[in-house]
Amino acid sequence: MAQPHTITHAFWTVVGEGAIGLLSAARLHLAGYPVQLHRRTAGPFDFVFQSAVSSQSLSLPSQIQQPYSSILLPVKAYAVLDAVKQLLPLLSDNAQLVLSHNGMGTIEQLLPLLKPEQGLWFLSTSHGAFKPDHSTVVHSGLGQSVLGALNQAALAQQQSVEQAMQAALGPLVVMADIWPALWQKLAVNAVINPLTALHQCKNGELSNSKYAAAVELLIEEFVLVAKAAGQDFSIEAIQNRVTQVIRQTADNYSSMQQDFAKGRRNELDYITGFLLKQAEQHQLQLPAHQAIYQLLLQKSPR
Ligand code: KPL
């Protein structure tokens, strides 16, 4: 007799207590996944999850099950390397690690640290979430996500990771090659984030004609360096994407604007800084990105 088909969900560990992390953990939990948080303090984390349809009180355990086999790491780019170094002793030999952050430059640092069977993924999401206080997360904007494997070991557990990420941050597009999507997101962040941080304005302000020349130069230089790095975009395609995001997020303050406004550490080195490093490797000059980098560096907290 045929056995009934039972779906066994992997046990997921979500690192940190950031808005996207808690949103993902809540949605995984509500979809029936066993989930724990990895955070500084042990013990259950109680929080309220508010979405457009409901408000629910949830309690998720922290660090109750080891080794970690499936890990979502939605932490800022500058914190990724230290977080992974801390996690390494806790990972199973075939653990699957999903990164999700703005900017680039972390993947190259992490791949050599992993064991041959440990998979690395990247998820880029447009879901909006924020924490009005420490123990509330609001799902403020329905978005979508793209997911891609970054090494061979990821492909061995493709189905299980894709299903879980669909539940956490779907609708999901799985890409055989995630790099063009990462570069396209980098373009958006390399134009909107530094300009809004410098001028302390909302994203929508950038459609004002006084910013048109700066936007155009940043895009032209981006396309130049992306091409040298093997990513061929037309200026028009990037212009369209940047304009679309400015329009769609007109009322938002970018993450970098907020980091500068609050004097917090920021992702400049992983966005503009990453582009400048790429330019140096390919002997290119990016005067507009260089200028905005220097201006923001002077305003960055030491
Ligand atoms: O990703 C963003 C950010 O703020 O970091 C954008 C897309 C620019 C939206 O604000």
Side-chain angles (χ1 to χ4, degrees):
M1 209 171 72
Q3 294 294 314
H5 187 68
T6 49
I7 304 169
T8 48
H9 287 324
F11 197 114
W12 276 82
T13 303
V14 177
V15 179
E17 300 159 38
I20 292 291
L22 290 183
L23 168 70
S24 312
R27 287 180 33 134
L28 280 168
H29 170 77
L30 294 171
Y33 281 82
V35 187
Q36 64 182 352
L37 301 176
H38 174 91
R39 54 193 196 101
R40 271 188 214 105
T41 29
F45 184 70
D46 301 332
F47 63 104
V48 176
F49 171 51
Q50 286 178 11
S51 69
V53 287
S54 66
S55 176
Q56 309 179 58
S57 295
L58 302 177
S59 182
L60 293 177
S62 309
Q63 285 104 279
I64 53 161
Q65 176 153 319
Q66 284 174 10
Y68 298 168
S69 58
S70 306
I71 307 97
L72 175 61
L73 198 91
V75 305
K76 298 264 192 181
Y78 54 73
V80 166
L81 186 60
D82 281 351
V84 172
K85 282 184 177 165
Q86 260 187 35
L87 288 170
L88 282 178
L90 307 177
L91 302 185
S92 65
D93 285 348
N94 61 354
Q96 300 294 310
L97 199 62
V98 182
L99 306 176
S100 184
H101 58 73
N102 274 342
M104 282 170 71
T106 58
I107 295 167
E108 302 78 348
Q109 296 173 324
L110 299 187
L111 282 172
L113 303 181
L114 299 178
K115 292 185 178 161
E117 309 292 313
Q118 291 177 332
L120 190 65
W121 298 79
F122 201 100
L123 179 144
S124 175
T125 189
S126 61
H127 278 282
F130 71 96
K131 287 175 69 183
D133 59 61
H134 173 65
S135 54
T136 307
V137 62
V138 181
H139 189 188
S140 51
L142 270 184
Q144 54 189 21
S145 305
V146 292
L147 176 74
L150 296 167
N151 63 1
Q152 207 52 34
L155 299 174
Q157 292 191 46
Q158 194 166 4
Q159 210 188 353
S160 142
V161 173
E162 284 174 16
Q163 272 173 8
M165 291 304 99
Q166 183 69 259
L169 291 163
L172 192 70
V173 176
V174 180
M175 310 200 97
D177 177 8
I178 185 95
W179 289 98
L182 296 187
W183 274 87
Q184 199 197 53
K185 177 75 166 59
L186 183 68
V188 168
N189 289 133
V191 176
I192 299 179
N193 294 24
L195 283 174
T196 51
L198 188 63
H199 299 286
Q200 283 299 301
C201 62
K202 286 186 173 178
N203 295 354
E205 265 289 292
L206 299 182
S207 57
N208 190 310
S209 59
K210 71 176 174 197
Y211 297 114
V215 168
E216 200 180 310
L217 276 178
L218 291 172
I219 290 176
E220 279 170 16
E221 290 181 8
F222 170 85
V223 168
L224 195 72
V225 70
K227 192 176 164 74
Q231 297 293 332
D232 215 347
F233 297 104
S234 69
I235 290 179
E236 200 193 359
I238 299 297
Q239 263 165 352
N240 289 343
R241 182 67 194 143
V242 169
T243 309
Q244 185 188 34
V245 176
I246 289 176
R247 206 178 313 118
Q248 282 169 349
T249 63
D251 239 3
N252 298 1
Y253 287 104
S254 77
S255 52
M256 198 180 282
Q257 185 282 338
Q258 295 179 53
D259 289 340
F260 274 84
K262 296 188 176 132
R264 293 191 298 231
R265 201 168 164 192
N266 57 69
E267 299 172 308
L268 186 65
D269 278 330
Y270 290 83
I271 297 176
T272 311
F274 175 83
L275 282 182
L276 292 173
K277 271 193 216 125
Q278 291 287 314
E280 200 183 314
Q281 277 171 27
H282 298 286
Q283 279 128 40
L284 291 171
Q285 301 288 327
L286 307 183
H289 288 280
Q290 184 69 51
I292 206 161
Y293 181 79
Q294 290 306 335
L295 287 169
L296 286 172
L297 206 56
Q298 286 161 21
K299 293 175 185 257
S300 291
R302 305 270 141 201

